C-alpha cells in the first residue's frame, strides 16, 4: 500500500488549481440515469470515488465517454437502463452509490441497492431516503442486505418533511421527484451548494425545481428529461483544505476557481482564527494573518453552518493556534478518529463525547500516523506540513477518494511531500 512522506516546516507559496466538487459530481453523474439523452459534464474531478461511480453507472447501462479534447469532461448516456442493481462491493466502498436509487426507481420503476452498512465515521443509515420514496408510492422491502424498491406504475408527488436535513436523501428524492407525477415538496431539505448544483443541472435537463438552496424544495414532475451540458462547481472542501494548508504553514496560496461564497460559516470562523482570506479575480488568496493563529470554538452544522467535512482539517489548524478551541461534531457520531493520530504528533486534545478540546502547542513533531477516513487523512497531511521533521502517513487510499493529485498540488507550492509505494 502507498504511503505519503512529508518533511514539514516549509511555508507554502504559489498557485493551486481547485478541482470540481466530488460531492456535486457524484449525484449529477447519477442524474444521467434519468434520461435517454446524453448528459455532458465539465470540470469533473479525477478521483477514486468518481471512478467507482463510473463503474457502477456503466453496469446499469450508462455509456461513458471522455471527449479527447476535454480531459475534465465526461459524456454520460443511458439509452436504456440495463440493470437495476447496485451491488454490495461498490456500495460498501462508496456510500454515494445509494444515489442511483431515486433515479432508477423513477426511470425504470425498480431498484435493488445494497445497504451501505457502517462506515468509519458512524452508522449512517438511509432511512430518510427510503421513507421519502415510500411516500412517493414506492414499495420498499429489505432482503439479503439489499433494499428492493418498486414503483411499477411510476412515482407520484408527495409532501416530505425530514426530521433533520440530509444531503443524500434530498438529492435522491429531488431526482426521483423530477420524473414523478405531480408536485413534491421537501421540507427541512439540505441547503448545501452541491444541492443547488444538482438542481441547476436537473433544470437544464428540463426539470421544474424551485427553492434549491433553501429549506423548502418544490419539484413539479415532468414526463421526461432531456440532454444538457453542465459545469460542476468548484470543491469548497478542497478549497478550505488548501486555505488551511496556507495558514498552518505560515505561507500564502492563490486558489484558482475557489469561491468564498461557498464557505458558509467557515469563512468567518477561519477569519476569527487568524486566516486572512481575500477574493481575487481568479479565486481566493489565503494566508496567515500577522498576529498568528488563535483558538476559536466551532460546531459542525448543516450548510450554511461550519461543514463537518472541514472539521478534521480545522482541528489540525487549532493544534498549533494560540489558546484553546472547543470543536463539537454534531453531524456524525464518530468523527474524531484523527485525534489519536494528531496526538502522536504532539497535539494536546481531550475528547468528551462529541466535543474535542484542543489546546494549542507551539510545534507539532513528525511521526508515523494512519489515515482512517477521507477528511481525517487530509488533516494529518496538514499537521505534517506544519510539523518539525518527517511524518509518514499510511493507508492513504482514502485521500485518493477525494483529493485530486494532492501530492503534486502541494509539491508545486513548495511542500516536501512524496508518495512511496
Ligand atoms: C454528504 C457528503 C459528506 C458530508 C455529509 C454531511 C456526499 C457524497 N457526501 O453525505 O461528505 O460529510 O453530506 O455534510 O455528498 N442520516 C440519517 N438517515 C438518512 C440519511 C442521513 O439518519 O437516511 C443522518 C446521517 O447519519 C448523518 C446526518 O443524517 O448523521 C447527515 O447525513 P447526510 O447529510 O445524509 O450525509 P451524506 O449525504 O451521506
Amino acid at each position: 500500500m502507498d504511503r505519503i512522506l512529508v518533511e514539514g516546516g516549509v511555508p507554502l507559496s504559489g498557485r493551486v488549481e481547485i478541482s470540481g466538487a466530488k460531492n456535486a459530481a457524484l449525484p449529477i453523474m447519477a442524474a444521467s440515469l434519468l434520461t435517454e439523452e446524453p448528459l455532458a459534464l465539465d470540470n469533473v474531478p479525477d478521483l477514486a470515488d468518481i471512478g467507482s461511480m463510473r463503474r457502477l453507472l456503466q453496469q446499469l447501462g450508462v455509456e461513458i465517454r471522455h471527449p479527447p479534447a476535454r480531459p475534465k469532461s465526461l459524456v454520460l448516456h443511458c439509452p436504456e437502463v440495463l440493470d437495476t442493481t447496485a451491488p454490495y462491493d461498490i456500495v460498501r466502498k462508496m456510500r454515494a452509490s445509494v444515489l442511483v436509487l431515486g433515479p432508477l426507481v423513477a426511470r425504470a420503476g425498480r431498484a435493488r441497492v445494497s445497504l451501505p452498512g457502517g462506515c468509519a465515521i458512524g452508522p449512517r443509515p438511509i432511512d430518510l431516503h427510503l421513507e421519502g420514496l415510500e411516500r412517493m408510492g414506492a414499495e420498499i422491502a429489505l432482503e439479503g442486505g439489499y433494499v428492493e424498491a418498486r414503483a411499477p406504475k411510476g412515482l407520484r408527488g408527495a409532501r416530505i418533511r425530514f426530521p433533520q436535513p440530509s444531503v443524500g436523501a434530498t438529492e435522491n428524492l429531488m431526482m426521483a421527484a423530477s420524473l414523478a407525477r405531480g408536485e413534491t415538496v421537501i421540507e427541512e431539505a439540505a441547503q448545501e451548494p452541491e444541492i443547488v448544483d444538482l438542481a441547476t443541472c436537473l433544470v437544464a435537463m428540463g426539470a421544474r425545481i424551485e427553492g434549491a438552496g433553501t429549506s423548502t424544495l418544490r419539484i413539479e414532475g415532468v414526463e421526461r428529461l432531456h440532454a444538457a451540458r453542465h459545469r460542476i462547481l468548484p470543491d469548497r472542501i478542497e478549497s478550505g483544505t488548501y486555505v488551511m494548508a496556507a495558514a498552518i504553514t505560515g505561507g500564502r496560496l492563490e486558489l484558482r476557481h475557489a469561491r468564498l461564497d461557498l464557505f458558509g460559516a467557515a469563512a468567518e470562523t477561519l477569519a476569527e482564527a487568524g486566516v486572512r482570506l481575500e477574493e481575487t479575480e481568479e479565486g481566493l488568496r489565503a494566508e496567515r494573518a500577522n498576529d498568528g493563529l488563535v483558538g476559536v470554538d466551532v460546531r459542525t452544522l448543516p450548510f450554511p453552518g461550519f461543514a463537518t467535512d472541514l472539521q478534521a482539517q480545522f482541528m489540525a489548524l487549532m493544534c498549533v493556534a494560540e489558546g484553546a478551541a472547543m470543536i463539537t461534531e454534531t453531524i456524525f457520531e464518530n468523527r474524531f478518529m484523527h485525534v489519536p493520530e494528531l496526538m502522536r504528533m504532539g497535539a494536546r486534545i481531550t475528547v468528551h463525547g462529541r466535543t474535542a478540546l484542543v489546546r494549542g502547542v507551539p510545534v507539532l513533531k513528525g511521526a508515523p500516523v494512519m489515515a482512517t477516513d477521507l477528511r481525517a487523512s487530509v488533516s494529518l497531511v496538514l499537521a505534517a506540513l506544519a510539523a518539525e521533521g518527517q511524518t509518514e502517513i499510511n493507508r492513504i487510499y482514502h485521500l485518493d477518494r477525494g483529493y485530486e493529485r494532492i501530492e503534486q498540488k502541494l509539491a508545486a507550492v513548495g511542500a516536501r511531500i512524496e508518495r512511496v509505494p
Side-chain angles (χ1 to χ4, degrees):
M1 239 184 277
D2 290 4
R3 293 167 298 151
I4 279 185
L5 299 179
V6 180
E7 191 73 44
V10 185
L12 302 184
S13 153
R15 283 160 120 210
V16 176
E17 196 87 20
I18 296 302
S19 301
K22 164 178 92 72
N23 287 353
L26 292 171
I28 291 173
M29 287 169 74
S32 66
L33 289 166
L34 292 165
T35 169
E36 70 273 8
E37 295 184 15
L39 177 63
L41 301 179
D42 299 318
N43 203 29
V44 180
D46 183 13
L47 297 168
D49 274 8
I50 299 293
S52 303
M53 184 58 92
R54 283 177 67 158
R55 279 190 295 282
L56 172 59
L57 293 173
Q58 277 165 333
Q59 281 188 29
L60 303 178
V62 182
E63 296 154 12
I64 303 183
R65 275 192 308 116
H66 243 314
R70 295 166 165 253
K72 291 181 175 177
S73 301
L74 287 180
V75 179
L76 301 98
H77 185 194
C78 184
E80 192 189 344
V81 174
L82 299 177
D83 186 357
T84 51
T85 298
Y88 180 57
D89 314 341
I90 299 189
V91 183
R92 176 174 60 89
K93 285 202 208 100
M94 186 186 58
R95 227 188 101 78
S97 314
V98 303
L99 294 169
V100 300
L101 178 63
L104 282 176
V105 182
R107 167 117 179 251
R110 59 194 296 170
R112 192 166 163 268
V113 174
S114 170
L115 280 173
C119 71
I121 62 177
R124 297 175 94 181
I126 56 165
D127 53 321
L128 302 176
H129 305 232
L130 301 182
E131 284 164 23
L133 283 175
E134 262 178 339
R135 287 190 69 87
M136 296 173 74
E139 284 163 26
I140 309 272
L142 290 181
E143 228 179 86
Y146 279 76
V147 171
E148 308 247 7
R150 274 164 198 278
K153 295 193 203 116
L155 295 167
R156 54 169 193 268
R159 213 178 172 91
I160 296 160
R161 191 187 179 89
F162 292 136
Q164 89 254 6
S166 157
V167 173
T170 304
E171 291 166 343
N172 239 332
L173 298 178
M174 182 162 64
M175 290 189 277
S178 298
L179 287 183
R181 276 190 316 280
E183 188 189 56
T184 299
V185 178
I186 307 177
E187 290 173 282
E188 290 303 312
Q191 304 176 42
E192 269 65 6
E194 293 74 23
I195 304 273
V196 179
D197 209 38
L198 172 62
T200 306
C201 177
L202 291 170
V203 167
M205 293 165 71
R208 295 173 55 192
I209 301 175
E210 275 175 22
T214 73
S215 61
T216 305
L217 278 170
R218 278 173 199 281
I219 305 125
E220 181 67 44
V222 295
E223 193 89 355
R224 54 186 294 279
L225 296 174
H226 53 69
R229 164 157 233 125
H230 177 79
R231 184 177 173 82
I232 307 290
L233 92 171
D235 195 314
R236 64 195 166 101
I237 306 299
E238 188 194 30
S239 306
T241 302
Y242 283 102
V243 163
M244 292 191 257
I248 203 168
T249 60
R252 173 184 168 134
L253 291 177
E254 308 283 336
L255 307 178
R256 283 195 74 206
H257 312 305
R259 276 172 46 191
L260 195 56
D261 63 303
L262 302 179
F263 276 46
E268 205 174 306
T269 306
L270 286 164
E272 276 175 46
V275 183
R276 189 176 299 146
L277 291 172
E278 202 183 318
E279 292 184 275
T280 62
E281 232 157 69
E282 45 173 32
L284 197 57
R285 179 176 306 127
E287 63 189 322
R288 187 195 286 176
N290 294 336
D291 298 342
L293 298 169
V294 288
V296 174
D297 297 347
V298 311
R299 278 168 81 78
T300 62
L301 287 171
F303 193 82
F306 190 95
T308 174
D309 285 351
L310 287 174
Q311 178 259 107
Q313 301 87 313
F314 189 72
M315 191 180 297
L317 191 69
M318 292 295 92
C319 286
V320 293
E322 179 86 39
M326 205 165 78
I327 300 179
T328 305
E329 173 59 55
T330 76
I331 308 290
F332 293 114
E333 278 152 53
N334 183 22
R335 211 173 198 184
F336 283 146
M337 273 101 53
H338 41 288
V339 169
E341 304 301 316
L342 290 169
M343 288 174 75
R344 293 174 55 77
M345 301 177 69
R348 286 180 64 205
I349 307 172
T350 321
V351 174
H352 292 286
R354 290 185 163 205
T355 296
L357 181 65
V358 184
R359 295 182 176 87
V361 295
V363 67
L364 293 171
K365 305 242 164 75
V369 290
M370 184 105 85
T372 48
D373 73 55
L374 172 54
R375 308 305 170 183
S377 313
V378 86
S379 80
L380 299 175
V381 174
L382 293 184
L385 290 171
E388 259 173 17
Q390 194 185 66
T391 298
E392 176 185 312
I393 306 171
N394 292 289
R395 291 217 189 143
I396 52 152
Y397 55 85
H398 293 288
L399 278 177
D400 298 327
R401 288 190 38 219
Y403 287 90
E404 196 173 25
R405 297 182 293 106
I406 184 165
E407 36 345 326
Q408 283 107 305
K409 287 190 187 184
L410 284 170
V413 290
R416 285 174 294 192
I417 182 168
E418 63 172 329
R419 181 184 291 243
V420 288

